[in-house]
Amino acid sequence: MKRTVVYLRIGCCLLLLIMSLALSGCYDQREIDEMAYPLAVGLDVGRANILRMTLQLAAPLSIGGGGGGESGGGGGGAGGKPVSVITVDTPSIYSGLNMVNNVISKEINMSHAKVIVISRKLAEKGISKYIQAMMRGREFRPDMFIVVTDDPPDVYLREVSSVLESNPAKYYELLLGKDYSSYYPEARIADFHHAIERLDIEPTAVLSGINPKESVEEIDMMGKTGEHYLDEGRYEAGNVPAVSELKNVAMGTAVFRGGKMVGTLNGIESVCFQMVTGRYNHSYWTIPDITGSGNVIVMNVVQRKRPKTTVEMKDGKPYITVRLDLEGDYTSIQSTLEHEKYPEAIENKTIEVIRENVTTFLRRTAEEFDSDICGLGRFMKGKFLTWDEWEKFDWPSHYRNSEFNVEVKFKIRRTGLIIRLMMPELSAAPRVASGSVKGGWLCRYSHGPW
Amino acid sequence: MQMDKRIRFGRWEAIMLITNLICTKVFLYFNRMTAEDTGNAGWMMAAFTSAMALLFYFLVMSLYGKFEGMDILDIAEAGGGKVLRTITGFVLGGALFVLAAITMRKFSEDIKTISLPTSPLSYVMGFFMAGVIIAGLLGVESIVRHNAIVTPIATAGYIVILLGIMPNIDVTNLLPILGTGLKDILMKGFYRTSVFAELLVLFMLPPFLENPGDARKVGYVAITASSFFFVTGSLVYTLVFPYPTSMEPFLPVFNMARLIGLGRFFQRIESLFVFIWVMSALVYLSTVFYFGVYTVSKAAGLKYARPMMIPFAIILFSAAFLPVDLLSVIKIESEIINTWGWAVTFAFIGLVMIAAGAGKRAGRGTKGR
Amino acid sequence: MSFIIRQLKKYLFFEEPEKRERFILRPGARPADEEGSGSFEKAKEKKKAESEKAPEPGDEVKSDIDANLTHMKDVYSIPVNSDIVLREFDITYGCRTVRAFIIFFDGMTNTEVINNYILKPLMVDSVMPLKDTAENLEGYVMRQLMPHCQVNISRGYKKAVEAVNFGGCALFVDGLSVCFTADVKGWDHRGVEKPNNEIIIKGPQEAFNEVLRTNCAQIRKRLKDEDLIVEDILVGRVSRTPCSILYIKDVANEALVQEIRRRLEGISVDYMLDAGELEQLIEDSTVYPSPQVISTERPDYTAELLVSGRVAIIVDGSPNVLVVPITAFDLMHSPEDNYIRFPYVNLLRYIRYIAGFLALLLPGLYVAITNYHHEMIPTDLLLAIEASREKVPFPSLVEILLMEISFELIREAGLRVPGPIGPTLGIIGALILGQAAVAANIVSPVLIIIVALTGIGSFAIPNYSLAYSVRIMRFGFIFLGALAGFLGITVGLFMIGSWSTALKSFGVPFMSPFGPKTSGRYKNVIFRAPEWKMEERPDYLNPKKKRKQAEYSMKWKHGKRKGEQD
């Protein structure tokens, strides 16, 4: 009996409490349809104010299908444009959000922003103050992608149109969080923020831009470099020979030192960058044929193990050894080469190509950018016992003097579905000694812009 | 409350209780604190701190031998009479109260920061208060059993976070191996033994235990289990957040959970984390609060603790508002509670036991067990 | 208002707590140190004493038949009461004629039996005594004149009246200060049928009916064990409803049986007609949402629970049998769990827990996420929800309450709608209502999925009463979710958890074996171990015998074959 009364009493108190809480209101309660969700944020140097901020807002009715439900079905095209873009000039990010709320009816919620697009001009002036502002805010996600473009972000974001997806958010996630192309790194704002603050690594961002080409003729106008092939990784975002409805291209890496951008890497350098950091997944490498015929061998190169890196200090200069452990499959052999007879030769050729590329890339980071984007300093840290010693050593000032030694291990593992090609010319083809290929390829091989 | 002879619980419940009490701070600030103290060698400090705590506990327990089955207030009374009992009770009760107030404030601030930014603090704290009051009224049995259920669930959630974050770790973050130096690890590690301050609840437990002799074992197991959480917590945290940045996050584990992203779907799960977090906070608060009130009432020789629950809860509620802002809460937490907590939990209790032992020998007539 | 102030005062000011009887089921109720121990012997003696007790003064049966006649007429308000039959006749034996009468209720008794085995021998066969029995008429009637198997002699009116009220027939004979009561029950009742609510695919298909002894027999025919005790207790001052406590003497904890006896004897009501009422009168907490007693209509399930050391209570007139004590996890078990193979049971159990989770929390979580935690929803889904909510005029809380209430409405209405239309109405109602509500932009389509899943989830909960409690708590969680998102829901869970851990069902902590921890947590609580692994009875029941299987329950696997060499 008494027990019941006790529970009744507890119940009464609970009810009272809940009622009083309910009366005081649900302060943070927001309906989903009372909010506007930007999918991308663009930051640029402003004219009317310090910062020009662009928000790409999702238009749910055209993305999520109409409210009626019956006709909503197919794709994003049904209700018009899936996004709406707003640009404001503002002193800072958060005051910009305030200003945007004057324009649009719904409250801005940044929790679904996928990407932050920064103009090259702003990036060169330094963006650490904006990055830390975003890291402090609870709505900005730490896994937002960070992209640098040559074009103004407002133009860039207006150009974004996702054809394959109804939802631009999915477009960003699939494009920038990819693991099937390695021509640009995966750059997330949390890592960027950490890298700004760290001594042993420098931040990077994805390089992206608008590819303005409207027709194939414009590709033709890019000119032709004779009969030899050009490596597909030599391009940067804006100059890719492609025509597409999709104007935005991600290709290459923006290199930062501290919070400031100091340069760019093209596609193939980005591949090297990821190989050295161990985040490389796989990509196709075009290797000149050892027969010297102008044909190529296409190799799907995979990184199975993380690279082993050691740093030695000799005469005040860091000697950095990077050991890459790669393997690959044939995907195409254009010539009639009996590849199974010369695996070593082909492997050596691949090794040479990769090593050359990686070494050049590393030298460039040290000499041209003076920015340890690969985080090679991390392997120096172990030589110190305490943090003070490490800080006193001042790695960033040493990095530019680094000497690089790249060792590549490469093994061909598989050959695809065809284990042995039986072309008619095969038997007639001249037997090539593995020695004869030397020297032939380097002169024809282009290393991109440098 | 007169000790109701019929309320008893087993060793497992006691272990879970103490472990949850000690480890709740892993969710809150422990990782950042170790980073602040010793840079990237926080895990070493955590290990050292745990070892020190085990040592201290061993020393205190070696004094406890002849008082087996008594709680610290009984011991104080046996040795120094009612005066010592009252002093001990008020010191310990006060310590628990401060812990409860600061933790409640901290948790409410956390929740406010991460999910209810525009709600007033009192609104958020009201929810915690409701939970604490109800648990306090329902009594120690319910609290202890709840601990036995919640702690394993919270542990599982915590391990999920640690596993989910695995793709983000970078082993070189541990270098330079000694962080800000051995001196920091040892000196600060010694003071940080205070993170085991909640162990003092254990000294109120023996009369409740099914087998009073278990108290000793409960302490050792709980300290070891907690050290597992402390070491893994700060180790993984350091591996994910490189040193200078690791001092930044206000809520280390929450920030870690934010980074979890396995594919396009399994991400943004940090709000789920609010569940295990609030759950273990509520259990923590209700336990500390209950034992605080229980200790005070027992020290004052009151027969019942239950009628004091609501008045004390109101005091707690008000006390939680005393610090002006979040930064002063953090300051109190790190510079007072987590620097001098050991003085109450180990030194003070040790002194009481020594005094009691001496008094007992002198008094001779006092009947112990 | 004054009520609230009074309540607040009770908390803020000191008040000496009332001493309350707290029953805790302790391990090993050994005869020496526990109050409940030896209770069986005590109960035995008590029963014996009761049956031999002399009637209270004023209640004795008189030897004068007229006095008896007047008394009985008085008791039964004859002739106002029309279904009572009082038949007067003469017993002629030897050379004497003695007046006698019988009294019984028409319709409750089998008149055939009364005619043939009571009236006929008394009126006809009595005239030819085989030997001289004039000395002892009482013995003569008892031993020779009533060829009926259940005849008792009672010396008080009260017992006679009790017997007549429960389908007996009382015989008063002039000159004897006793009366004879014969059990001639013969009312109409339902036969043993298939269970209606606890339907399973495999396993026995018999259910209890409304007759006490039939129900006892249903259990006894499954447990052919002389240690299965059926103790009767009458509950209700007026209705005098017979209840039976069933337990296995050498398994069930005596303290537990004693406690149940104590509770049943301690019920002071006029009428008690059904097990549902009894459940409310004996359970530990009235306000706690979930049931603390299993109420089942399956004899096989009851038998299984008895074997594990629990105690069953059968109420006459109720097809449901109460089984105590239980824990929260027992409520998620279905009788079928014992009859299907172990991998299937585990699958079903997971499904059930998921169902329970959905039924309890899904709407609350939906409200919490859509109102507070927008970042949790995958972007595509978020935009879809936003689009679908764009034209809905209500806040999502109102929206979900609307749908939940209509769902409960359909459920309640479906029960009332006569026979074959019922299920149709349910389906049509749900479908049409949902579809139309979406089309009319009153609710968003996502919400229909939520409500439907919740409804399905609550039907998948095996215990009917638990499903009720989940439905009630669900509304609480919706409000808490609307108040503070996950914080509110977690605080709600914490409160319910605290309450559950504080609760006991007949001395057994409701959340055992997890809080407090006891052994056997992985045998038959959330998971179910293979049949041969169910070696022990639940620890928290503290039964007299711990094991219920030999160490090697599949002896054929371990023993050596005859004639086999090492």
Side-chain angles (χ1 to χ4, degrees), chain A residues 115-154:
Chain A
V115 60
I116 160 158
V117 181
I118 293 167
S119 77
R120 185 163 185 159
K121 233 191 280 173
L122 187 69
E124 278 164 358
K125 279 175 80 176
I127 53 168
S128 47
K129 51 186 170 184
Y130 304 117
I131 298 294
Q132 65 92 0
M134 281 186 271
M135 290 302 287
R136 191 184 286 271
R138 86 187 173 102
E139 282 183 2
F140 288 94
R141 308 287 314 177
D143 55 358
M144 280 194 298
F145 297 103
I146 178 159
V147 166
V148 171
T149 86
D150 275 331
D151 311 282
D154 51 314

Coordinates of all heavy atoms in Angstrom, one line a residue, chain A residues 115-154:
Chain A
V115 N 31.9 20.2 -47.8 CA 33.1 20.7 -48.4 C 33.3 22.2 -48.2 O 32.3 22.9 -48.1 CB 33.2 20.3 -49.9 CG1 32.0 21.0 -50.7 CG2 34.5 20.7 -50.6
I116 N 34.6 22.5 -48.0 CA 34.8 23.9 -47.9 C 35.8 24.3 -49.1 O 36.8 23.7 -49.2 CB 35.4 24.3 -46.5 CG1 36.1 25.6 -46.6 CG2 36.3 23.3 -46.0 CD1 36.2 26.2 -45.2
V117 N 35.3 25.2 -49.9 CA 36.1 25.6 -51.1 C 36.8 26.9 -50.8 O 36.1 27.9 -50.5 CB 35.1 25.7 -52.3 CG1 35.9 26.0 -53.5 CG2 34.4 24.4 -52.5
I118 N 38.1 27.0 -51.0 CA 38.8 28.2 -50.7 C 39.5 28.6 -52.0 O 40.1 27.8 -52.7 CB 39.9 27.9 -49.6 CG1 39.2 27.5 -48.3 CG2 40.8 29.0 -49.4 CD1 40.0 27.0 -47.3
S119 N 39.4 29.9 -52.2 CA 40.1 30.4 -53.4 C 41.6 30.5 -53.2 O 42.0 30.6 -52.1 CB 39.5 31.8 -53.8 OG 40.2 32.7 -52.9
R120 N 42.3 30.4 -54.3 CA 43.7 30.3 -54.2 C 44.3 31.6 -53.6 O 45.2 31.6 -52.8 CB 44.3 30.1 -55.6 CG 45.8 30.0 -55.6 CD 46.3 29.4 -56.8 NE 47.7 29.1 -56.7 CZ 48.4 28.3 -57.5 NH1 47.7 27.6 -58.4 NH2 49.7 28.1 -57.3
K121 N 43.6 32.7 -54.0 CA 44.0 34.0 -53.5 C 44.0 34.0 -52.0 O 44.9 34.5 -51.3 CB 43.1 35.1 -54.1 CG 43.9 36.2 -54.8 CD 43.0 37.4 -55.0 CE 42.1 37.1 -56.3 NZ 41.1 38.2 -56.5
L122 N 42.9 33.6 -51.4 CA 42.7 33.5 -50.0 C 43.7 32.6 -49.3 O 44.3 32.8 -48.3 CB 41.3 33.2 -49.6 CG 41.0 33.3 -48.1 CD1 41.0 34.8 -47.7 CD2 39.7 32.7 -47.7
A123 N 43.8 31.4 -50.0 CA 44.7 30.4 -49.5 C 46.2 30.9 -49.4 O 46.9 30.6 -48.4 CB 44.7 29.2 -50.4
E124 N 46.5 31.7 -50.3 CA 47.9 32.3 -50.3 C 48.1 33.3 -49.2 O 49.2 33.5 -48.7 CB 48.3 32.8 -51.7 CG 48.7 31.7 -52.6 CD 48.8 32.0 -54.1 OE1 48.4 33.2 -54.4 OE2 49.2 31.1 -54.9
K125 N 46.9 34.0 -48.9 CA 47.0 34.9 -47.8 C 47.1 34.3 -46.4 O 47.5 34.9 -45.4 CB 45.8 35.9 -47.8 CG 46.0 37.0 -48.8 CD 44.7 37.8 -48.9 CE 44.6 38.8 -47.8 NZ 43.4 39.7 -48.0
G126 N 46.6 33.0 -46.3 CA 46.5 32.3 -45.1 C 45.1 32.1 -44.6 O 44.3 33.0 -44.6
I127 N 44.9 30.8 -44.2 CA 43.5 30.5 -43.9 C 43.4 29.9 -42.5 O 42.3 29.4 -42.1 CB 42.9 29.5 -44.9 CG1 43.8 28.3 -45.1 CG2 42.6 30.2 -46.2 CD1 43.1 27.2 -45.8
S128 N 44.5 29.9 -41.7 CA 44.4 29.2 -40.4 C 43.3 29.8 -39.5 O 42.7 29.1 -38.8 CB 45.7 29.2 -39.7 OG 46.3 30.4 -39.8
K129 N 43.1 31.1 -39.6 CA 42.1 31.7 -38.7 C 40.7 31.2 -39.1 O 39.8 31.1 -38.2 CB 42.2 33.2 -38.8 CG 42.1 33.8 -40.2 CD 42.3 35.4 -40.1 CE 42.5 35.9 -41.5 NZ 42.8 37.3 -41.5
Y130 N 40.4 30.9 -40.3 CA 39.1 30.5 -40.7 C 39.0 29.0 -40.3 O 37.9 28.5 -39.9 CB 38.9 30.7 -42.2 CG 39.0 32.1 -42.6 CD1 40.0 32.5 -43.5 CD2 38.2 33.1 -42.0 CE1 40.2 33.8 -43.8 CE2 38.4 34.4 -42.4 CZ 39.3 34.8 -43.3 OH 39.5 36.1 -43.6
I131 N 40.1 28.3 -40.5 CA 40.0 26.8 -40.2 C 39.7 26.6 -38.7 O 38.8 25.9 -38.3 CB 41.3 26.1 -40.6 CG1 41.6 26.2 -42.1 CG2 41.3 24.7 -40.1 CD1 40.6 25.5 -42.9
Q132 N 40.4 27.4 -37.9 CA 40.2 27.2 -36.4 C 38.8 27.6 -36.0 O 38.2 27.0 -35.1 CB 41.3 27.8 -35.6 CG 41.4 29.3 -35.6 CD 40.6 30.0 -34.5 OE1 40.0 29.3 -33.7 NE2 40.6 31.3 -34.5
A133 N 38.3 28.6 -36.7 CA 36.9 29.0 -36.4 C 35.9 27.9 -36.7 O 35.0 27.7 -35.9 CB 36.5 30.3 -37.2
M134 N 36.2 27.2 -37.8 CA 35.3 26.1 -38.1 C 35.5 24.9 -37.2 O 34.6 24.2 -36.9 CB 35.5 25.7 -39.5 CG 34.8 26.6 -40.5 SD 34.9 26.1 -42.2 CE 36.4 26.8 -42.7
M135 N 36.7 24.7 -36.7 CA 36.9 23.6 -35.8 C 36.3 23.9 -34.4 O 36.0 23.0 -33.7 CB 38.4 23.4 -35.6 CG 39.1 22.8 -36.8 SD 38.4 21.3 -37.3 CE 39.0 20.2 -36.1
R136 N 36.2 25.1 -34.1 CA 35.6 25.5 -32.8 C 34.1 25.3 -32.8 O 33.5 24.9 -31.8 CB 35.9 26.9 -32.5 CG 35.6 27.3 -31.1 CD 35.9 28.8 -30.9 NE 37.4 29.1 -30.8 CZ 38.1 29.0 -29.7 NH1 37.5 28.8 -28.6 NH2 39.4 29.3 -29.7
G137 N 33.5 25.6 -34.0 CA 32.0 25.5 -34.0 C 31.5 24.0 -34.0 O 32.1 23.2 -34.6
R138 N 30.4 23.8 -33.3 CA 30.0 22.4 -33.2 C 29.3 21.9 -34.4 O 29.2 20.7 -34.7 CB 29.2 22.2 -32.0 CG 27.7 22.5 -32.2 CD 26.8 22.5 -31.1 NE 25.5 22.9 -31.6 CZ 24.5 22.1 -31.8 NH1 24.6 20.9 -31.6 NH2 23.4 22.6 -32.3
E139 N 28.8 22.9 -35.3 CA 28.0 22.4 -36.4 C 28.9 22.0 -37.6 O 28.6 21.1 -38.3 CB 27.1 23.6 -36.9 CG 25.9 23.7 -36.0 CD 25.0 24.7 -36.5 OE1 25.3 25.3 -37.6 OE2 23.9 25.0 -35.9
F140 N 30.1 22.6 -37.7 CA 31.0 22.2 -38.8 C 31.6 20.9 -38.5 O 32.0 20.7 -37.3 CB 32.1 23.3 -38.9 CG 31.7 24.6 -39.5 CD1 31.3 25.6 -38.7 CD2 31.6 24.7 -40.9 CE1 30.9 26.8 -39.2 CE2 31.2 25.9 -41.4 CZ 30.8 27.0 -40.6
R141 N 31.5 20.0 -39.4 CA 32.0 18.6 -39.2 C 33.5 18.6 -39.4 O 34.0 19.2 -40.3 CB 31.4 17.6 -40.1 CG 29.9 17.7 -40.2 CD 29.3 17.1 -39.0 NE 29.9 15.8 -38.7 CZ 29.6 15.1 -37.6 NH1 28.7 15.5 -36.8 NH2 30.2 14.0 -37.3
P142 N 34.2 17.8 -38.5 CA 35.7 17.8 -38.7 C 36.0 17.0 -40.0 O 37.2 17.0 -40.4 CB 36.1 17.1 -37.5 CG 35.0 16.3 -37.0 CD 33.8 17.1 -37.4
D143 N 35.1 16.3 -40.6 CA 35.4 15.5 -41.8 C 35.0 16.2 -43.1 O 34.9 15.6 -44.1 CB 34.8 14.1 -41.7 CG 33.3 14.1 -41.5 OD1 32.8 15.2 -41.4 OD2 32.7 13.0 -41.4
M144 N 34.8 17.5 -43.0 CA 34.6 18.3 -44.2 C 35.8 18.2 -45.1 O 36.9 18.2 -44.6 CB 34.3 19.7 -43.9 CG 32.9 20.0 -43.4 SD 32.5 21.7 -43.5 CE 33.7 22.4 -42.4
F145 N 35.6 18.2 -46.4 CA 36.7 18.2 -47.3 C 37.1 19.6 -47.5 O 36.4 20.5 -47.5 CB 36.3 17.6 -48.7 CG 35.9 16.1 -48.5 CD1 34.5 15.8 -48.5 CD2 36.8 15.1 -48.4 CE1 34.2 14.4 -48.4 CE2 36.5 13.8 -48.3 CZ 35.1 13.5 -48.3
I146 N 38.4 19.7 -47.8 CA 38.9 21.1 -48.1 C 39.5 21.1 -49.5 O 40.3 20.3 -49.8 CB 39.9 21.5 -46.9 CG1 40.4 22.9 -47.2 CG2 41.0 20.6 -46.7 CD1 40.9 23.5 -46.0
V147 N 39.0 22.1 -50.2 CA 39.4 22.2 -51.6 C 39.9 23.6 -51.9 O 39.3 24.6 -51.4 CB 38.1 21.9 -52.5 CG1 38.3 22.3 -53.9 CG2 37.7 20.4 -52.4
V148 N 40.9 23.7 -52.8 CA 41.4 25.0 -53.2 C 41.1 25.1 -54.7 O 41.4 24.2 -55.4 CB 42.9 25.1 -52.9 CG1 43.4 26.4 -53.5 CG2 43.1 25.1 -51.4
T149 N 40.6 26.2 -55.1 CA 40.4 26.4 -56.5 C 41.1 27.7 -57.0 O 41.2 28.6 -56.3 CB 38.9 26.5 -56.9 OG1 38.5 27.9 -56.7 CG2 38.0 25.7 -56.0
D150 N 41.4 27.6 -58.3 CA 41.9 28.8 -58.9 C 40.8 29.8 -59.2 O 41.0 31.0 -59.2 CB 42.6 28.5 -60.2 CG 44.0 28.0 -60.0 OD1 44.6 28.5 -59.0 OD2 44.5 27.2 -60.8
D151 N 39.7 29.3 -59.4 CA 38.5 30.2 -59.7 C 37.9 30.7 -58.4 O 38.1 30.1 -57.4 CB 37.5 29.4 -60.5 CG 38.1 28.7 -61.7 OD1 38.4 29.3 -62.7 OD2 38.4 27.4 -61.5
P152 N 37.2 31.8 -58.5 CA 36.5 32.2 -57.3 C 35.5 31.2 -56.9 O 34.8 30.6 -57.7 CB 35.8 33.5 -57.8 CG 36.4 33.9 -59.0 CD 37.0 32.7 -59.7
P153 N 35.4 30.9 -55.6 CA 34.5 29.9 -55.1 C 33.1 30.1 -55.5 O 32.3 29.2 -55.7 CB 34.7 29.9 -53.6 CG 36.0 30.5 -53.4 CD 36.3 31.4 -54.5
D154 N 32.6 31.4 -55.6 CA 31.2 31.6 -55.9 C 30.9 31.1 -57.3 O 29.9 30.5 -57.5 CB 30.8 33.1 -55.7 CG 31.8 34.0 -56.4 OD1 33.0 33.8 -56.2 OD2 31.3 34.9 -57.1

